[in-house]
């Protein structure tokens, strides 16, 4: 089946630094990738939607300059948290889908970001 | 916008019993529905899906029921096992956009 690989699984960084999270579709081409944020014991909150080769569409309230998304190829999307602060600490999850198929959405394993 | 809710935030069942997790949605344009299972510290895992032209779909030990009239779907897990303990999300899809409900935590007592 479809597999989405997300790295790193855990990262600890200092305040003010930037962190890049990668999301790769391993055995299919992902037309669209989604980035979610999840707080403890809460549901997934969609941050942005990215289509290969175009700018990401951000949800209301999500700072595009803070959370940089790049979807340079059909198998790779990256989320960069710039100038991270402790309030950015969260669980970030990506998912990928291919339009025109069975609307399949496959999720990565998530990245636990801790900003100290 | 879409709102998705769950009737029970926490469900505790005895091992071997059947579990039923409910989900209500509001967007009548939703045409595809997915149930996900999420274990602690992991990404959501696909369980079963159903399209809006169906009202029931069965998988291995799981059944999803869809009632479009009242915008409600449920996930039934037969013979619940300790490994089923997790948070379950329903995710209606409209226009290639998934919306996640608040989640139900299923706790299986041995």
């Amino acid at each position: 089946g479809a597999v989405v690989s997300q790295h790193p699984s855990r990262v600890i960084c200092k305040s003010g630094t930037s962190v890049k999270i990668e999301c790769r579709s391993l055995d299919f081409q992902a037309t669209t990738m989604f980035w979610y944020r999840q707080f403890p014991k809460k549901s997934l909150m969609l941050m942005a939607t990215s289509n290969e080769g175009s700018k990401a569409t951000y949800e209301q309230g999500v700072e595009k300059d803070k959370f940089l998304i790049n979807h340079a190829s059909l198998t790779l999307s990256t989320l960069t948290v710039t100038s991270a602060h402790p309030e950015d600490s969260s669980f970030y999850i990506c998912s990928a889908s291919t339009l025109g198929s069975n609307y399949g959405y496959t999720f990565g394993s998530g990245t636990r970001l801790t900003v100290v | 916008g879409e709102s998705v809710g769950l009737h029970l935030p926490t469900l505790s069942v005895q091992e071997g019993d059947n579990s039923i997790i409910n989900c209500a949605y509001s967007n009548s344009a939703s045409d595809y529905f997915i149930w996900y299972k999420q274990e602690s510290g992991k990404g959501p895992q696909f369980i079963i899906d159903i399209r809006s032209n169906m009202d029931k779909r069965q998988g291995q030990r799981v059944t999803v029921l869809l009632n479009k009239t009242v915008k409600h779907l449920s996930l039934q897990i037969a013979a619940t096992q300790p490994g089923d303990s997790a948070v379950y999300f329903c995710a209606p899809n409209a226009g290639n956009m998934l919306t996640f409900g608040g989640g139900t935590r299923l706790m299986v007592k041995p």
Side-chain angles (χ1 to χ4, degrees):
Chain A
V3 177
V4 171
S5 175
Q6 186 173 342
H7 291 282
S9 58
R10 290 178 177 271
V11 58
I12 301 173
C13 70
K14 293 184 177 180
S15 290
T17 61
S18 296
V19 175
K20 180 183 285 188
I21 302 170
E22 291 188 349
C23 182
R24 294 181 184 272
S25 57
L26 298 186
D27 50 3
F28 69 101
Q29 293 185 326
T31 314
T32 306
M33 286 190 174
F34 305 88
W35 287 96
Y36 296 84
R37 182 175 182 175
Q38 186 177 32
F39 292 103
K41 298 183 180 180
K42 298 293 183 182
S43 186
L44 281 72
M45 181 186 73
L46 180 65
M47 298 174 65
T49 303
S50 72
N51 293 296
E52 184 267 338
S54 62
K55 290 184 178 180
T57 301
Y58 290 80
E59 295 300 301
Q60 190 174 7
V62 178
E63 299 175 58
K64 61 180 181 180
D65 295 329
K66 174 76 171 176
F67 299 99
L68 300 179
I69 292 173
N70 184 281
H71 192 165
S73 76
L74 285 171
T75 59
L76 174 64
S77 176
T78 61
L79 167 67
T80 302
V81 183
T82 63
S83 187
H85 291 284
E87 57 265 32
D88 298 325
S89 298
S90 191
F91 193 55
Y92 293 88
I93 309 170
C94 71
S95 76
S97 75
T98 300
L99 288 175
S101 65
N102 293 321
Y103 297 101
Y105 299 89
T106 304
F107 283 81
S109 55
T111 297
R112 171 72 60 194
L113 171 63
T114 303
V115 185
V116 297
Chain B
E2 168 74 89
S3 69
V4 183
L6 291 163
H7 294 282
L8 295 173
T10 302
L11 177 64
S12 183
V13 300
Q14 201 70 37
E15 181 179 357
D17 288 349
N18 296 333
S19 303
I20 299 176
I21 300 172
N22 297 300
C23 177
Y25 63 98
S26 63
N27 188 351
S28 56
S30 299
D31 58 358
Y32 178 58
F33 306 83
I34 310 172
W35 278 101
Y36 288 97
K37 171 186 180 182
Q38 186 179 28
E39 297 176 89
S40 180
K42 298 183 179 180
Q45 176 187 0
F46 173 92
I47 301 174
I48 192 168
D49 59 359
I50 188 168
R51 299 196 181 281
S52 58
N53 61 350
M54 303 170 66
D55 53 20
K56 181 180 180 179
R57 191 172 187 209
Q58 288 184 290
Q60 189 176 17
R61 282 202 307 119
V62 294
T63 301
V64 55
L65 300 178
L66 173 63
N67 186 330
K68 297 183 292 295
T69 302
V70 295
K71 298 188 183 68
H72 179 273
L73 66 159
S74 66
L75 176 69
Q76 301 177 9
I77 304 174
T80 312
Q81 303 170 359
D84 295 327
S85 294
V87 177
Y88 290 81
F89 296 97
C90 74
N93 176 80
N96 198 34
M97 186 70 69
L98 281 181
T99 303
F100 280 82
T104 293
R105 179 172 297 281
L106 176 63
M107 300 175 62
V108 183
K109 296 177 289 186

